[in-house]
């Protein structure tokens, strides 16, 4: 675990460009006034449970400090503030599945989740699948070997949904897996190959 | 087709961790304050559960509360427990949890099946039972922000000439022809569930049947919930535990889509004779539509001889220009429920056998019933 305090100082190892991008994204420049008193402002409110903006999210095994608006979706935070653009926003209405991430191992649509609602939970995006050395996750290897996707826009969502499903049923039939990933759309209509790829990936996962 | 916008307008977010704090907040914020856009509204605070009904309306600026009370941290509102012979479900329990819970599956498979057929796996993982029961109408004129009766205006666009009303009501409409969208509502009405509602001042318990409102009672809301109310418990009595259940939902696609019509039925039988029955249609009226005439006609008859009682289901139906098929569909759904016949169309969620009464074949699953 390491701490990135994107809003406050430039962390070691981050390029200046990355830093500026994160600063713009977190709103220090464009919203400098609301950001700075965020803590004091929140504390000054007397109602129980009013949220603070500067929060820590656990994403892909890392603790990330980030400035989150109260009306911000998890997809917005992950893409816009943490640069995790593998999270795709297809419809922004819980109707396509491209934004699916795992929250404590459970697949949810990040476009329809408030970031504040998942604080303290472990968030996993497609960026967190490969090993730090770059070796693909067995599920990714499975779809690669079977040439599972055509344009690939829906791929991160499918991978995350399948991974969540496989944690509950590691050795599914094709029909069971189809039901498991039925909350994800592929506009290329590549479902057959996607299922073959995911089943191959599931097999790699079982082999360890 | 939804418009993708930059994000939701600002609101203050409160995340209480107890029911008491949530009620105190709603008491303070819920009434008599100003809407964010400066207009006076009865509603300032908005209760947020899983967000699958709420967030899109915030995104579309159809609802602009200035404060949102998120129940995500109120642990006391989540989970399923037994109290004596009643099953008590917290409203923040997700639909996936309801669909796979062993006690619910064993005693009230009707509810498990209904929950398993809502929307998509991800929506069931996050959407809650309380939110599913309390969701607002899906009529697209209304959802699109048209100033119709339900929105406080003085016209129904869905009943106007040339309107698109294939999904709308065939029963009980008065001015508004929107339907109740919830799949779990008919099941809970059939099971004679009771819902416990609290605000800062009092606690009340209503029969599930009385939780839902038709337009004759209030045209602007689908439930009895007031802005400062919280639904805190869903209690299912043992009355129908383990009886013969039948749930069928008909929709255009087996995933995501709301019901065009559904039926939830519970029947107590001696051998093949039906002693007592409750049949409730979904998505054909503004509230779950009970069929008391059919129930009365079934009592004491062998089910093979009772199928004609289904004709009574559609007495008084008033179809609109494009939803006449719902009348035939409702009758056929009632008929199949009486006879215990499998669904008319294949359903990805149910497979051939359905899940009712069947033991869970595998360890806990977050996506509910699998095809078998
Ligand atoms: C693409 C899509 C497809 C869908 N398909 C279906 C379907 O097939 N069948 C179906 O039944 N539904 C369907 N839905 C609706 C969705 O399943 C339900 O809206 C969901 O269960 C709502 O639960 P939630 O927890 O997300 O509710 P929220 O959106 O958080 O809340 C819904 C409403 O209930 C109120 N509320 C919630 N909990 C409480 C409480 N404890 N006390 C007081 N008020 C409360 C909220 O204020 C809000 O008005 C669909 C939704 C989407 C986006
Ligand atoms: S059916 Fe009801 S919600 Fe739809 S336009 Fe008519 S009045 Fe409005």
């Amino acid at each position: 675990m390491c701490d990135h305090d994107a809003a406050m100082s430039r962390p070691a190892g981050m390029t200046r460009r990355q830093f500026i991008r994160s600063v713009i994204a977190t709103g220090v420049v464009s919203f400098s006034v609301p950001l700075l008193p965020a803590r004091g402002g929140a504390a000054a409110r007397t109602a129980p449970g009013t949220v603070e903006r500067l929060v820590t999210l656990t994403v892909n095994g890392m603790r990330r400090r980030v400035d989150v608006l109260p009306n911000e979706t998890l997809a917005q935070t992950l893409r816009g503030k943490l640069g995790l653009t593998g999270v795709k926003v297809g419809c922004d209405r819980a109707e396509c599945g491209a934004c699916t991430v795992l929250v404590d191992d459970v697949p949810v649509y990040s476009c329809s989740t408030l970031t504040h609602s998942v604080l303290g939970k472990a968030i996993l995006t497609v960026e967190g699948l490969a090993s730090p050395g770059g070796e693909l996750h067995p599920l990714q290897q499975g779809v690669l070997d079977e040439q599972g996707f055509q344009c690939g826009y829906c791929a991160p969502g499918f991978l995350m949904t399948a991974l969540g499903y496989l944690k509950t049923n590691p050795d599914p039939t094709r029909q069971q897996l189809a039901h498991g990933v039925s909350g994800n759309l592929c506009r290329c209509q590549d479902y057959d190959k996607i299922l073959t790829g995911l089943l191959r990936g599931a097999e790699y996962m079982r082999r360890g | 087709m939804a418009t993708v916008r930059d994000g939701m307008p600002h609101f203050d977010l409160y995340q209480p961790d107890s029911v008491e704090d949530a009620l105190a907040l709603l008491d303070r914020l819920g009434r008599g304050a100003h809407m964010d856009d400066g207009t006076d509204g009865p509603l300032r605070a908005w209760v947020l559960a899983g967000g699958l009904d709420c967030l899109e309306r915030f995104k579309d600026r159809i609802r602009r509360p200035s404060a949102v009370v998120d129940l995500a941290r109120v642990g006391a509102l989540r989970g399923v427990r037994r109290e004596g012979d009643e099953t008590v479900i917290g409203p923040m329990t997700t639909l996936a949890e309801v669909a796979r819970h062993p006690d619910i599956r064993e005693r009230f498979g009707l509810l498990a099946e209904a929950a398993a057929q809502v929307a998509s796996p991800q929506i069931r993982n996050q959407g809650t039972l309380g939110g599913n029961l309390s969701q607002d109408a899906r009529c697209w004129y209304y959802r699109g922000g048209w100033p119709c009766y339900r929105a406080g205006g003085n016209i129904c666009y869905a009943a106007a000439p040339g309107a698109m009303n294939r999904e709308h009501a065939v029963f009980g409409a008065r001015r508004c022809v929107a339907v109740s969208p919830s799949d779990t509502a008919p099941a809970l009405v059939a099971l004679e569930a009771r819902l416990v509602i609290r605000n800062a001042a009092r606690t009340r318990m209503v029969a599930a049947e009385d939780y839902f409102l038709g337009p004759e009672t209030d045209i602007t809301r689908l439930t009895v919930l007031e802005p400062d109310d919280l639904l805190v418990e869903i209690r299912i009595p043992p009355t129908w535990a383990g009886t013969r259940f039948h749930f069928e939902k008909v929709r255009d696609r087996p995933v995501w889509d709301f019901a065009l019509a559904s039926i939830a039925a519970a029947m107590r039988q001696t051998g093949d004779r039906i002693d007592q029955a409750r049949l409730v249609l979904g998505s054909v009226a503004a509230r779950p539509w009970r069929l008391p005439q059919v129930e009365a006609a079934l009592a004491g008859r062998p089910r093979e001889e009772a199928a004609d009682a289904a004709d009574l289901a559609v007495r008084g139906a008033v179809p609109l220009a494009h939803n006449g098929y719902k009348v035939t569909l409702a009758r056929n759904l009632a008929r199949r429920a009486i006879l215990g016949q499998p669904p008319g169309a294949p359903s990805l969620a149910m497979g051939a056998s359905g899940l009712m009464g069947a033991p869970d074949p595998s360890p806990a699953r977050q996506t509910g019933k699998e095809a078998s």
Side-chain angles (χ1 to χ4, degrees):
Chain A
M1 295 252 177
C2 64
D3 256 281
H4 284 296
D5 197 336
M8 299 318 244
S9 62
R10 183 170 132 197
M14 205 186 212
T15 66
R16 187 178 146 72
R17 186 175 161 271
Q18 283 170 328
F19 178 55
I20 288 175
R21 198 171 133 199
S22 71
V23 167
I24 292 171
T26 51
V28 170
V29 175
S30 49
F31 302 110
S32 59
V33 179
L35 175 74
L36 295 174
R39 294 181 149 215
R45 293 188 189 142
T46 48
T50 310
V51 301
E52 291 189 16
R53 279 178 47 170
L54 204 52
V55 298
T56 303
L57 281 182
T58 306
V59 184
N60 298 336
M62 289 194 296
R63 289 166 58 78
R64 309 278 303 257
R65 291 287 281 171
V66 55
D67 175 25
V68 177
L69 298 171
N71 53 335
E72 188 169 313
T73 65
L74 184 56
Q76 287 175 317
T77 308
L78 295 173
R79 280 184 65 85
K81 298 195 173 166
L82 299 179
L84 299 169
T85 51
V87 179
K88 301 300 178 195
V89 178
C91 69
D92 202 25
R93 290 296 186 282
E95 290 177 26
C96 79
C99 68
T100 303
V101 301
L102 298 190
V103 174
D104 281 351
D105 286 344
V106 177
V108 300
Y109 297 138
S110 63
C111 77
S112 299
T113 305
L114 285 189
T115 307
H116 279 283
S117 303
V118 298
L119 296 186
K121 307 204 172 186
I123 297 152
L124 189 68
T125 73
V126 74
E127 286 87 349
L129 288 186
S131 72
E135 194 194 334
L136 291 182
H137 187 280
L139 200 56
Q140 292 173 305
Q141 194 59 52
V143 294
L144 192 69
D145 290 352
E146 294 290 341
Q147 292 286 297
F149 292 90
Q150 196 174 151
C151 85
Y153 188 83
C154 66
F158 263 102
L159 286 165
M160 301 321 289
T161 308
L163 185 62
Y165 178 76
L166 290 169
K167 285 180 194 272
T168 67
N169 184 9
D171 191 6
T173 65
R174 194 177 178 89
Q175 202 189 355
Q176 284 172 334
L177 187 63
H179 185 228
V181 299
S182 62
N184 290 70
L185 290 183
C186 164
R187 287 202 69 177
C188 307
Q189 297 288 310
D190 242 359
Y191 297 109
D192 211 45
K193 273 163 59 205
I194 292 171
L195 279 177
T196 303
L198 293 174
L199 281 168
R200 171 60 54 93
E203 184 193 320
Y204 293 167
M205 283 172 70
R206 288 196 301 279
R207 280 198 226 141
Chain B
M1 190 58 194
T3 317
V4 179
R5 301 183 196 252
D6 52 344
M8 289 175 266
H10 174 83
F11 47 74
D12 287 334
L13 181 62
Y14 297 84
Q15 296 190 307
D17 46 28
S18 71
V19 174
E20 277 62 33
D21 283 354
L23 291 173
L25 275 166
L26 289 171
D27 186 48
R28 188 160 68 79
L29 302 167
R31 282 173 184 278
H34 296 287
M35 297 292 281
D36 203 32
D37 58 7
T39 59
D40 269 335
L43 172 70
R44 182 169 164 233
W46 187 280
V47 175
L48 178 75
L52 288 154
D53 190 44
C54 306
L55 294 192
E56 69 165 60
R57 308 174 81 202
F58 300 167
K59 289 175 186 173
D60 288 338
R61 278 78 172 154
I62 305 299
R63 286 288 185 275
R64 295 191 62 165
S66 52
V68 168
V69 178
D70 177 10
L71 302 179
R73 309 224 166 144
V74 188
L77 291 178
R78 188 162 178 164
V80 182
R81 63 178 197 277
R82 259 309 246 283
E83 265 182 30
D85 49 12
E86 286 201 325
T87 294
V88 183
I89 309 173
M92 288 298 288
T93 311
T94 66
L95 294 162
E97 287 162 349
V98 169
R100 67 166 184 254
H101 194 275
D103 186 46
I104 298 176
R105 290 176 66 121
E106 190 192 314
R107 304 208 311 152
F108 305 112
L110 187 65
L111 175 62
E113 181 69 51
Q117 295 213 30
V118 171
S120 74
Q122 286 94 321
I123 289 177
R124 295 191 292 273
N125 285 340
Q126 186 179 343
T128 65
L129 183 60
N132 192 264
L133 294 173
S134 313
Q135 61 178 308
D136 206 349
R138 283 270 164 182
C139 166
W140 45 74
Y141 297 101
Y142 174 65
R143 298 294 279 211
W146 295 45
C148 66
Y149 286 129
R150 187 165 288 281
N154 59 4
I155 184 175
C156 173
Y157 298 94
M164 304 284 284
N165 50 31
R166 177 176 170 266
E167 283 78 5
H168 289 73
V170 292
F171 293 110
R174 187 165 317 168
R175 295 187 293 157
C176 173
V177 295
V179 297
S180 160
S182 168
D183 288 328
T184 58
L188 286 171
V189 172
L191 295 171
E192 295 188 56
R194 286 172 303 161
L195 308 185
V196 183
I197 300 168
R198 281 185 66 183
N199 65 19
R202 65 184 178 129
T203 301
R204 61 196 208 274
M205 176 132 70
V206 300
E209 204 173 348
D210 301 325
Y211 184 71
F212 303 99
L213 299 178
E216 73 286 358
T217 312
D218 190 334
I219 205 165
T220 62
R221 54 186 176 149
L222 289 181
T223 72
V224 297
L225 287 183
E226 300 280 349
D228 58 350
D229 277 341
L230 270 191
L231 173 63
V232 295
E233 279 177 0
I234 294 120
R235 307 183 71 95
I236 314 181
T239 320
W240 296 93
T243 55
R244 179 164 76 85
F245 294 134
H246 183 97
F247 182 83
E248 183 175 354
K249 169 180 177 178
V250 176
R251 49 186 153 175
D252 291 322
R253 298 179 296 179
V255 189
W256 267 300
D257 281 351
F258 288 89
L260 296 168
S262 66
I263 193 161
M267 279 162 272
R268 194 185 319 286
Q269 295 188 183
T270 308
D272 208 33
R273 191 189 69 220
I274 300 173
D275 298 321
Q276 214 188 347
R278 290 210 16 139
L279 284 83
V280 187
L281 292 169
S283 295
V284 295
R287 53 195 164 85
W289 194 250
R290 237 188 108 191
L291 301 172
Q293 348 67 292
V294 180
E295 293 167 10
L298 290 178
R301 291 171 69 190
R303 74 181 201 206
E304 296 302 332
E305 292 167 23
D308 59 348
D311 294 345
L312 300 171
V314 294
R315 286 243 174 110
V318 183
L320 302 160
H322 300 294
N323 68 0
Y325 74 94
K326 281 201 184 187
V327 179
T328 319
L329 184 55
R331 183 177 33 223
N332 290 343
L333 285 172
R335 199 184 158 82
R336 288 200 286 269
I338 296 165
L339 294 173
Q341 285 173 345
S347 152
L348 188 58
M350 283 186 64
S353 59
L355 76 77
M356 262 127 27
D360 192 348
S362 76
R365 284 171 164 164
Q366 60 208 17
T367 48
K369 166 66 181 150
E370 308 313 323
S372 47

